[in-house]
Amino acid sequence: MAADNSTTAMQTDSRDWADRWRHINKILDRRGPFCDNSFREGYENTLLPQCKVLVIGAGGLGCEILKNLALSGFKDIHVIDMDTIDVSNLNRQFLFRPSDVGRPKAIVAAEFVKNRVAGVVVTPYHGKIQDKDDDYYKQFQIVICGLDSVEARRWMNATIVNLSQELGEAIPIIDGGTEGFKGQARVIIPTVTSCYECSLDMLNKPTTFPICTIANTPRLPEHCIEWAYVLEWPKVFKNEKLDTDDPKHIQWVFEAALERARQFKIAGITYSLTQGVVKNIIPAIASTNAIIAAACCNEAFKIATTSAPYLDNYMMYTGNEGVYTYTFQHQKKPDCPVCGENSVNVDVNKNWTVEEFIEWLKEKPDAQLKKPSLMTADNKKIYLQAPPILERSTRPNLEKKLSSLIEDGDTIIVTDSTLPFSLQLVVSLI
Amino acid sequence: MLKIWSIKKDNAQAEKKKPKVSAAQIRVQKDLTELELPSTMEMSFPDESDLLNFNLSIEPDEGFYKGGVFRFTFNINNNYPHEPPKVRGIQKIYHPNIDLDGNVCLNILREDWKPVLNLNSVIVGLQYLFLEPNAEDPLHKDAAEDLRTNRKSFEYNVKQSMRGRDVKGNYYDNVMAKN
């Protein structure tokens, strides 16, 4: 690192030396014009020394994020990743070496950072984010996501937003994402700013081709590959699901696609293209990851130190047309199913039947319900207005007492055509 | 500590334990309970506690396919509505837009799916395929060719196939409604 000769001479540990944090201290040792009111001078007075930060993903973004955090003064870093290291990761996931291929990303990344930066503890977990519960997630003050799937982001977002609501304490989520030359970084302050679910409508779906084109008039190598795994695989293997991580499966798809391409005189099928199409792999560019990870870690640093205002709340980076970024405030969706204020407390007479409860709901002027359908939060049906088969099977519940179907304090999810999304009723039985 | 760490609690509701219910689940509840199934359609659930997997049967009351009952499986995953439901025919039928394995060529089930669409849109789309089979987007080439060149012969072949007879060397499932 950038240590001059005089300090190198003083070093006692090759991973640490006097003045190592000089540059960070320049920001933290005195108040600047953009500091928050709560800012207090000195590293020790910021949250950095005790901030527990969780990094989700130890891949392209994750490696950069872990490195940046460790070099910005964060001391207690946790990382989750379910993947193992593949040869193809090594060009940009710089915490990994050829000898690490096959080992868990989280564990190798944690070891590397710990060995490189003195005083930093990195705690890895090799597994799924879904393996961990609220008790685990609530120990963190900041969560940074370097994920590659919409599904994982939705799960993480919902978990942290719900947890924040429950704790009455916001755990900021910093979400980074890259796709080729483009990327985005955003700061989500649960219930205060828009969350990931609020912006779900903005997402593009991955490119898919009309099934009839795939079946009859393929023109691109991608059409042949999709034909092989969407139409041929289920025909040939019936009940066996295609495992996109199994090289034998990919090889089969590759060969089937190649044969089809030959018939239609289409060139360009390769094994790696097959893998790319089947697993929906988007080319990863090291510099894009570096830029987005840097943006994410700057936000984490600013939030933990209050030394400067944090991103409000969405930064898009477009690197394919020169270097262009655009920052805007993504609006919160009032009826967002995750962070929306759609939860209401109601007191319910414990002797009421479900039917009486529904009548009461319909008459409740602030609810404006016409044909409410009710389910419990753990997915048990109370009464559904449609489709007919479910209406018939839940109709006997109308005569039952509500208290026989739910417990005091349970939540009921209400949907109705008059509601933009849903209403969550937290029921007190009295 | 930073002010963003404490969320203002307007009322007691924040203290109540919020349920772990996925956005996909709520959305499916909303879609299902607001379905307006026409009399020509019926839904069934192999496992009623699982709302993400169900069957739909369509009994068209006009058009080429009148008299038959056509069955489909719907499979919705936890990424709904980001991803469309997976719909598959479970019978072997003679239809320009449905292949012999039950794959359905309907734009909103694939390339034109958007999260603002819902189960009702999909069901209306399926219904439409039976009223107006589309020869321009063929998934079953012979059937499409047949429809394009000779509607009379197509109509005859559809009727034959629906009774479980052979059409151009292929045997189809008997899909006639049992009265």
Side-chain angles (χ1 to χ4, degrees):
Chain A
M1 304 285 126
D4 60 39
N5 285 337
S6 61
T7 51
T8 320
M10 288 160 57
Q11 74 184 54
T12 49
D13 177 348
S14 67
R15 305 173 305 150
D16 201 10
W17 50 88
D19 267 6
R20 174 164 194 158
W21 307 103
R22 187 169 43 147
H23 299 279
I24 280 175
N25 289 339
K26 276 185 182 160
I27 295 169
L28 301 181
D29 281 345
R30 59 173 175 262
R31 167 173 288 277
F34 295 109
C35 286
D36 190 79
N37 282 336
S38 58
F39 178 83
R40 282 168 62 221
E41 284 98 344
Y43 174 81
E44 291 304 321
N45 291 321
T46 69
L47 188 64
L48 284 175
Q50 68 269 26
C51 182
K52 268 194 181 187
V53 54
L54 174 63
V55 179
I56 313 281
L61 277 171
C63 282
E64 292 275 357
I65 292 170
L66 290 167
K67 174 259 289 173
N68 290 351
L69 291 177
L71 296 177
S72 318
F74 284 90
K75 300 290 184 207
D76 192 356
I77 305 168
H78 293 241
V79 57
I80 301 186
D81 197 301
M82 61 186 278
D83 275 347
T84 53
I85 298 161
D86 186 80
V87 185
S88 65
N89 301 144
L90 299 177
N91 69 337
R92 62 193 184 285
Q93 298 178 20
F94 51 81
L95 302 178
F96 312 140
R97 297 290 169 267
S99 60
D100 297 322
V101 169
R103 295 184 62 206
K105 287 185 177 180
I107 291 169
V108 176
E111 277 171 11
F112 192 106
V113 173
K114 264 190 293 191
N115 291 336
R116 183 63 181 262
V117 188
V120 172
V121 178
V122 186
T123 313
Y125 173 71
H126 171 225
K128 292 181 167 185
I129 47 175
Q130 289 88 348
D131 295 347
K132 298 290 190 184
D133 59 9
D134 285 358
D135 281 338
Y136 172 81
Y137 287 111
K138 77 177 178 203
Q139 61 178 313
F140 301 104
Q141 282 83 50
I142 298 175
V143 176
I144 308 184
C145 297
L147 286 163
D148 60 358
S149 87
V150 173
E151 200 170 356
R153 280 195 176 84
R154 282 178 80 186
W155 191 90
M156 238 10 266
N157 176 69
T159 301
I160 299 295
V161 172
N162 280 342
L163 187 60
S164 296
Q165 284 173 326
E166 211 175 286
L167 297 172
E169 242 179 44
I171 301 172
I173 306 169
I174 302 166
D175 180 48
T178 66
E179 207 174 280
F181 283 113
K182 299 178 197 161
Q184 124 259 317
R186 64 192 291 188
V187 171
I188 296 168
I189 311 288
T191 77
V192 178
T193 69
S194 71
C195 77
Y196 189 73
E197 195 78 22
C198 292
S199 59
L200 203 63
D201 298 352
M202 294 198 344
L203 291 176
N204 281 328
K205 260 198 6 99
T207 325
T208 48
F209 304 102
I211 203 158
C212 359
T213 304
I214 303 171
N216 295 308
T217 50
R219 298 179 304 278
L220 299 172
E222 287 85 351
H223 292 157
C224 301
I225 298 167
E226 284 222 15
W227 171 84
Y229 90 93
V230 175
L231 296 173
E232 270 309 278
W233 178 277
K235 202 188 259 179
V236 175
F237 293 95
K238 300 284 180 232
N239 294 322
E240 192 184 351
K241 267 192 89 178
L242 183 86
D243 178 0
T244 56
D245 288 323
D246 186 337
K248 281 194 228 99
H249 288 192
I250 301 289
Q251 183 67 29
W252 187 92
V253 173
F254 167 57
E255 283 166 14
L258 203 59
E259 178 52 35
R260 183 160 173 89
R262 208 170 287 140
Q263 286 166 18
F264 286 89
K265 300 190 173 52
I266 296 168
I269 307 259
T270 60
Y271 183 85
S272 69
L273 182 71
T274 308
Q275 210 179 14
V277 171
V278 173
K279 295 178 78 170
N280 192 29
I281 296 175
I282 290 138
I285 293 174
S287 324
T288 311
N289 283 341
I291 290 166
I292 295 302
C296 291
C297 294
N298 275 351
E299 295 313 316
F301 181 82
K302 291 187 287 180
I303 289 171
T305 61
T306 69
S307 58
Y310 51 84
L311 173 69
D312 185 21
N313 52 41
Y314 203 119
M315 188 273 284
M316 296 190 306
Y317 161 70
T318 323
N320 47 345
E321 294 167 24
V323 178
Y324 175 74
T325 69
Y326 178 65
T327 298
F328 67 102
Q329 194 182 45
H330 191 280
Q331 294 297 307
K332 200 166 154 21
K333 218 170 145 185
D335 56 334
C336 171
V338 170
C339 74
E341 283 143 24
N342 52 3
S343 164
V344 179
N345 290 317
V346 289
D347 291 336
V348 173
N349 184 326
K350 62 175 182 286
N351 293 316
W352 275 355
T353 61
V354 171
E355 191 164 21
E356 283 170 317
F357 177 62
I358 290 175
E359 284 309 311
W360 175 78
L361 277 179
K362 287 202 263 190
E363 280 161 28
K364 224 169 117 52
D366 53 346
Q368 298 279 338
L369 302 174
K370 285 204 175 92
K371 291 175 79 180
S373 292
L374 279 51
M375 288 189 52
T376 64
D378 53 355
N379 221 13
K380 289 198 194 72
K381 293 179 278 293
I382 298 173
Y383 180 68
L384 304 183
Q385 305 271 0
I389 180 147
L390 295 180
E391 194 281 331
R392 273 195 301 275
S393 69
T394 54
R395 201 185 300 156
N397 283 349
L398 286 175
E399 291 170 15
K400 289 184 191 159
K401 278 189 182 171
L402 188 62
S403 57
S404 69
L405 298 167
I406 65 160
E407 281 178 31
D408 187 43
D410 277 359
T411 299
I412 296 178
I413 315 284
V414 181
T415 56
D416 189 293
S417 54
T418 59
L419 291 170
F421 204 81
S422 72
L423 179 70
Q424 307 195 357
L425 298 175
V426 182
V427 178
S428 305
L429 295 169
I430 53 164
Chain B
M1 197 62 58
L2 235 194
K3 55 180 178 288
I4 58 166
W5 265 286
S6 64
I7 300 174
K8 52 177 193 323
K9 286 188 191 176
D10 295 346
N11 44 40
Q13 76 190 48
E15 289 157 25
K16 288 270 160 66
K17 208 165 153 49
K18 263 245 178 167
K20 275 256 173 181
V21 50
S22 77
Q25 289 277 10
I26 303 179
R27 176 59 197 265
V28 170
Q29 179 184 335
K30 180 164 178 66
D31 276 17
L32 277 176
T33 55
E34 288 169 26
L35 270 183
E36 287 165 24
L37 281 185
S39 58
T40 53
M41 292 193 195
E42 211 167 310
M43 223 168 191
S44 65
F45 290 79
D47 170 6
E48 272 207 18
S49 64
D50 174 12
L51 296 184
L52 302 179
N53 290 290
F54 53 86
N55 304 320
L56 178 79
S57 64
I58 305 178
E59 194 177 339
D61 56 2
E62 54 179 312
F64 296 118
Y65 293 90
K66 186 178 174 182
V69 183
F70 302 92
R71 298 179 206 283
F72 294 87
T73 59
F74 277 63
N75 170 260
I76 300 170
N77 70 19
N78 251 322
N79 219 6
Y80 186 77
H82 180 62
E83 284 176 29
K86 288 196 172 64
V87 178
R88 221 183 159 87
I90 52 182
Q91 302 141 315
K92 190 172 162 186
I93 63 170
Y94 186 74
H95 190 294
N97 313 110
I98 299 173
D99 74 10
L100 300 181
D101 301 306
N103 293 300
V104 182
C105 187
L106 181 62
N107 63 337
I108 56 169
L109 283 177
R110 248 179 107 76
E111 70 276 11
D112 289 332
W113 171 259
K114 294 177 191 67
V116 292
L117 296 173
N118 56 26
L119 289 177
N120 228 5
S121 339
V122 173
I123 285 173
V124 169
L126 275 183
Q127 163 126 333
Y128 186 72
L129 281 185
F130 285 98
L131 300 180
E132 285 291 333
N134 176 2
E136 302 311 313
D137 279 338
L139 200 52
H140 186 321
K141 262 188 180 165
D142 287 346
E145 187 60 28
D146 200 8
L147 172 61
R148 207 168 18 231
T149 51
N150 187 343
R151 282 178 80 90
K152 273 272 170 271
S153 128
F154 175 74
E155 185 169 9
Y156 175 77
N157 286 334
V158 168
K159 293 282 177 259
Q160 288 294 94
S161 72
M162 281 166 51
R163 289 184 171 79
R165 295 178 190 152
D166 104 297
V167 177
K168 299 174 191 168
N170 256 320
Y171 279 92
Y172 291 88
D173 285 339
N174 184 338
V175 296
M176 295 308 287
K178 292 168 189 76
N179 289 320

